[in-house]
Amino acid sequence: MRDPTYTYCREVLPSSTVDRAVSLSLTRAGASNLALARGNILEVYEVRLVVNKETGQDSLVPTNEYLYRSSNAEEFDLPMVQDEDRQRSTRGGFAQTERPQLHLVGRWSLHGRIMDMQPVRGSKGRQRVDRLLLSFAEAKMSVVSFDQSLQTIVTESIHYYEHESLTKKCFNDYQTCDLRTDPEGRCVAMRIYEDQFAVLPLAAPNELGVLGSTKLYSDSFVVDMRGADVDVRNIRDFVFLSG
């Protein structure tokens, strides 16, 4: 008997294509993280400088010739390091070098394809911890953060705009759900149903505590660009301007 769980959709192989990529400090204060979206999979990496010791021909660090092998080679799973080695000290033929490497923090399978994602910057300074804003079809977005005690992501809020009053104005079935963040960190906008924008006001970065005790956002609202006061149609892209 077939499992009814997979009647609608069954994922045979995970996506291998990177759709979106952003850099932020998600896992801890001052961390250099890279977030990748692969279909419905979210991956978070941390960039670390690894100190390696090498002397003579007995090197613990793969040579550049090895790192830049063609994609047909069998050893393709090594980090692709393009920066030159940074020599720290050399004593009697013994050298220490630093190489940046990507360390996988976590991989999560989400309930829906990630359409777009943007970082939500925290308070300024070395103690800054960012959050990640994700958008999903048909018109949903969620704010997630990283819980260090559980070593996993947690959902702080979910916002959906799949209302009949909004969908009846749309004549295109494909939704992009593009996200844009204000440079000053005051709000986030998501384009929904062609020429409408869902705006999520954010708290100022300097108002957020180090532990994130202050509420991140306030009530969202929708702006219809086809209204009588604006009347802008067929929007292809948008961006916030500084000021």
Side-chain angles (χ1 to χ4, degrees), residues 150-164:
L150 301 176
Q151 288 296 300
T152 186
I153 57 174
V154 293
T155 303
E156 294 192 0
S157 63
I158 299 177
H159 311 268
Y160 63 95
Y161 306 92
E162 299 170 344
H163 303 289
E164 183 179 359

Side-chain angles (χ1 to χ4, degrees), residues 14 33 63 72 74 105 112 138 140 177 182 186-187 231 237:
N33 297 124
T63 61
N72 296 327
E74 295 180 359
V105 178
E138 174 173 329
K140 297 182 288 288
C177 300
D182 176 47
R186 295 169 293 190
C187 65
D231 196 14
D237 200 358

Side-chain angles (χ1 to χ4, degrees), residues 139-156:
K140 297 182 288 288
M141 61 178 171
S142 63
V143 181
V144 299
S145 61
F146 188 81
D147 192 330
Q148 296 186 15
S149 60
L150 301 176
Q151 288 296 300
T152 186
I153 57 174
V154 293
T155 303
E156 294 192 0

Side-chain angles (χ1 to χ4, degrees), residues 153-181:
I153 57 174
V154 293
T155 303
E156 294 192 0
S157 63
I158 299 177
H159 311 268
Y160 63 95
Y161 306 92
E162 299 170 344
H163 303 289
E164 183 179 359
S165 60
L166 302 176
T167 57
K168 66 181 181 181
K169 300 179 181 180
C170 177
F171 301 98
N172 187 5
D173 294 335
Y174 180 74
Q175 304 300 326
T176 58
C177 300
D178 297 331
L179 290 171
R180 297 293 184 271
T181 307

Side-chain angles (χ1 to χ4, degrees), residues 3-226:
D3 191 345
T5 306
Y6 302 111
T7 302
Y8 177 71
C9 177
R10 179 177 182 181
E11 183 183 82
V12 180
L13 293 174
S15 175
S16 59
T17 304
V18 177
D19 300 319
R20 296 287 188 272
V22 296
S23 60
L24 70 169
S25 297
L26 181 67
T27 56
R28 56 184 174 83
S32 179
N33 297 124
L34 175 65
L36 301 180
R38 302 174 181 267
N40 67 322
I41 298 177
L42 175 64
E43 296 179 345
V44 176
Y45 295 85
E46 182 175 354
V47 181
R48 301 177 185 175
L49 291 178
V50 180
V51 179
N52 298 275
K53 299 179 181 179
E54 56 182 6
T55 172
Q57 296 181 352
D58 298 330
S59 176
L60 298 179
V61 182
T63 61
N64 291 337
E65 182 180 352
Y66 183 81
L67 288 172
Y68 298 109
R69 302 185 71 166
S70 64
S71 59
N72 296 327
E74 295 180 359
E75 300 86 359
F76 60 86
D77 201 22
L78 286 175
M80 301 301 290
V81 180
Q82 298 182 0
D83 296 337
E84 296 181 356
D85 297 346
R86 296 193 298 175
Q87 300 291 333
R88 298 185 63 185
S89 62
T90 303
R91 296 179 181 178
F94 183 83
Q96 289 184 344
T97 60
E98 281 186 346
R99 287 179 179 270
Q101 292 185 355
L102 288 178
H103 290 252
L104 179 63
V105 178
R107 180 187 291 112
W108 300 273
S109 179
L110 308 182
H111 298 283
R113 179 185 175 186
I114 302 174
M115 305 300 293
D116 199 0
M117 61 180 181
Q118 289 290 329
V120 179
R121 303 299 181 185
S123 57
K124 298 181 179 180
R126 296 183 178 180
Q127 300 299 322
R128 187 190 74 185
V129 178
D130 302 329
R131 294 172 173 84
L132 190 60
L133 183 65
L134 306 173
S135 68
F136 303 89
E138 174 173 329
K140 297 182 288 288
M141 61 178 171
S142 63
V143 181
V144 299
S145 61
F146 188 81
D147 192 330
Q148 296 186 15
S149 60
L150 301 176
Q151 288 296 300
T152 186
I153 57 174
V154 293
T155 303
E156 294 192 0
S157 63
I158 299 177
H159 311 268
Y160 63 95
Y161 306 92
E162 299 170 344
H163 303 289
E164 183 179 359
S165 60
L166 302 176
T167 57
K168 66 181 181 181
K169 300 179 181 180
C170 177
F171 301 98
N172 187 5
D173 294 335
Y174 180 74
Q175 304 300 326
T176 58
C177 300
D178 297 331
L179 290 171
R180 297 293 184 271
T181 307
D182 176 47
E184 303 297 330
R186 295 169 293 190
C187 65
V188 174
M190 178 176 66
R191 183 162 66 97
I192 59 175
Y193 302 119
E194 295 181 352
D195 302 327
Q196 301 177 81
F197 291 95
V199 181
L200 179 65
L202 301 175
N206 55 4
E207 296 179 358
L208 294 175
V210 176
L211 299 179
S213 57
T214 306
K215 188 177 181 180
L216 175 65
Y217 59 90
S218 55
D219 295 339
S220 62
F221 57 92
V222 177
V223 177
D224 188 1
M225 301 301 294
R226 294 167 294 189

